[in-house]
Amino acid sequence: MMFKYALMAAGLGLFLLGCCDKSQAPYARELHDAEEHFLRIQPARALEILNRLSSKPDLPERYFRLRYQVELRAFQFSQSFKTILSWRKKSSKSHENVVRKVLRSFIRYCTELKEPGLRLEAIRALGELKDFDAREHLMGLFPGGSQSTRITACYSMSLLGDEKRALPYLKDRSRFAGLKGRFLASLYLVQLHTKDLVPAYIDLLSDPDDAVRVLAIKVLGELGAKEARERLQVIFKDSASIHVKLLAAQALIRVGESSYKSYLLKKMDEKASSAAVKILLSELGSIDHLDELKSTLDSLDVEARYSVLKVLMDMNEKEFVRTKLREMLQSLLGNAFEKKMALELLSTFKNKEDWDLIQAQFFSPFQEVQVMAARAMLEFLAETKN
């Protein structure tokens, strides 16, 4: 794997800068032997020596500096991170650059794994983290990657300033791929969320599948795209899906057609659509249903809960939201999607008191959650650096 060789080179550079201390410091002979194995790309042999030292008292900085690199070379990212935590505790230093290196290496490593959900999560993270050093790595994924890999790589490349090459591919796949490819490419176009792409979003309204059209309806409303008004009216009139009609009505209100609010109010009285309408009205700025949404939050499905929490954040209910997010992460219950959602939202608060809770998710049994935790910590560190 190309990542493997890049990591070896980086590890060697760090090793030569800091590990070759031949003085008679504590455990100098053992550490020298471990360093020799590290240089020969024998991480297992190096770890055998380091493990024997792990219970010894007064371990020097050299031990921790070497150990985290050996574990990194062995792709033992959780162990490498734990070593850094022990090092931080012993030295009372933050070692932020080392933390960044391990987290970035972990995310890049995950971009080459076979599990598709994990791989796409990691590729997406590189772009959204604005990791400009990852551009060559992303280009390397493109030629032999699956369609989903190529689509996601193009999304991240767009975020990293390569729109000229990436956007045409996303637009093409959003129109001519199978449903899975069209949906994924459309999702990423929508996440770019720019008025420059309004013509492409309008084209998505012609997709035969509601899953794609819903994405376009939502973003056109959010952008206040008045040029989409007639197309949205046609969809509202012709769609047999109550979900599509509700979203089209909300989008039409956002582009200036306030008469469609009466439709939403009518549907709010129907049990099957009442909760969805209250969320849509709240997204439009209504505060009439906030208390009810807060009280029923735990009974909503994950996607609806995410929408409500975002609305509440916009409505100055940030402490309520933060408390809920912390509860979700502290709970032993919940699936990977819920944990990822909580991490994504909680990281936006940039509250130092949340660091330990976010950090703990790096050791989650769900690897996708680990990627999101790594991303959240890198965002925290970027804020600290700035």
Side-chain angles (χ1 to χ4, degrees), residues 92-142:
S92 299
K93 297 178 183 178
S94 65
H95 298 294
E96 286 187 1
N97 288 335
V98 175
V99 172
R100 288 188 185 94
K101 174 181 172 55
V102 171
L103 297 177
R104 285 180 180 143
S105 297
F106 170 66
I107 292 174
R108 292 192 190 188
Y109 172 76
C110 290
T111 65
E112 299 187 46
L113 298 182
K114 291 183 178 180
E115 202 284 304
L118 176 61
R119 184 175 67 250
L120 301 188
E121 188 77 44
I123 295 171
R124 183 169 68 91
L126 292 178
E128 293 176 348
L129 284 167
K130 302 296 184 184
D131 186 352
F132 290 95
D133 293 337
R135 283 182 290 192
E136 184 176 347
H137 179 78
L138 289 169
M139 285 297 297
L141 296 174
F142 195 88

Side-chain angles (χ1 to χ4, degrees), residues 182-195:
R182 294 201 317 276
F183 178 82
L184 188 62
S186 301
L187 175 65
Y188 289 139
L189 285 172
V190 165
Q191 287 182 346
L192 292 173
H193 206 273
T194 172
K195 288 192 174 183

Side-chain angles (χ1 to χ4, degrees), residues 3 16 58 81 83 88 105 211 227 243 291 329-330 381:
F3 171 79
L16 292 174
D58 301 321
F81 195 75
T83 295
R88 292 172 73 170
S105 297
E227 55 266 61
H243 181 55
D291 288 339
L329 290 177
Q330 289 167 339
L381 293 172

Side-chain angles (χ1 to χ4, degrees), residues 4-216:
K4 178 178 179 181
Y5 297 110
L7 186 58
M8 287 177 181
L12 179 58
L14 283 173
F15 171 80
L16 292 174
L17 284 172
C19 287
C20 289
D21 176 12
K22 295 184 179 180
S23 66
Q24 293 304 308
Y27 317 113
R29 180 177 294 279
E30 293 92 335
L31 291 172
H32 175 72
D33 290 345
E35 289 163 0
E36 287 291 317
H37 289 302
F38 177 80
L39 281 176
R40 293 172 185 154
I41 315 177
Q42 298 172 333
R45 298 284 298 276
L47 279 173
E48 287 178 10
I49 298 170
L50 295 172
N51 286 337
R52 290 197 294 270
L53 291 177
S54 62
S55 60
K56 301 289 186 181
D58 301 321
L59 289 168
E61 292 254 324
R62 182 180 173 190
Y63 166 85
F64 294 100
R65 187 181 297 113
L66 174 61
R67 180 163 194 133
Y68 98 81
Q69 291 180 88
V70 171
E71 290 165 335
L72 198 56
R73 176 165 290 176
F75 307 119
Q76 296 179 8
F77 297 97
S78 294
Q79 288 303 120
S80 184
F81 195 75
K82 286 180 180 178
T83 295
I84 295 169
L85 295 181
S86 298
W87 189 10
R88 292 172 73 170
K89 185 176 180 181
K90 177 179 175 59
S91 66
S92 299
K93 297 178 183 178
S94 65
H95 298 294
E96 286 187 1
N97 288 335
V98 175
V99 172
R100 288 188 185 94
K101 174 181 172 55
V102 171
L103 297 177
R104 285 180 180 143
S105 297
F106 170 66
I107 292 174
R108 292 192 190 188
Y109 172 76
C110 290
T111 65
E112 299 187 46
L113 298 182
K114 291 183 178 180
E115 202 284 304
L118 176 61
R119 184 175 67 250
L120 301 188
E121 188 77 44
I123 295 171
R124 183 169 68 91
L126 292 178
E128 293 176 348
L129 284 167
K130 302 296 184 184
D131 186 352
F132 290 95
D133 293 337
R135 283 182 290 192
E136 184 176 347
H137 179 78
L138 289 169
M139 285 297 297
L141 296 174
F142 195 88
S146 66
Q147 177 177 253
S148 297
T149 296
R150 295 196 301 271
I151 289 172
T152 308
C154 280
Y155 166 69
S156 284
M157 288 161 59
S158 295
L159 293 173
L160 297 175
D162 203 355
E163 300 98 326
K164 188 174 181 180
R165 286 189 294 181
L167 284 179
Y169 183 78
L170 286 178
K171 291 176 182 178
D172 177 84
R173 293 297 81 198
S174 73
R175 295 181 62 191
F176 302 117
L179 175 56
K180 182 179 177 181
R182 294 201 317 276
F183 178 82
L184 188 62
S186 301
L187 175 65
Y188 289 139
L189 285 172
V190 165
Q191 287 182 346
L192 292 173
H193 206 273
T194 172
K195 288 192 174 183
D196 292 340
L197 289 174
V198 163
Y201 299 148
I202 292 175
D203 286 342
L204 297 181
L205 295 175
S206 300
D207 194 277
D209 197 277
D210 282 346
V212 174
R213 295 201 294 168
V214 159
L215 295 173

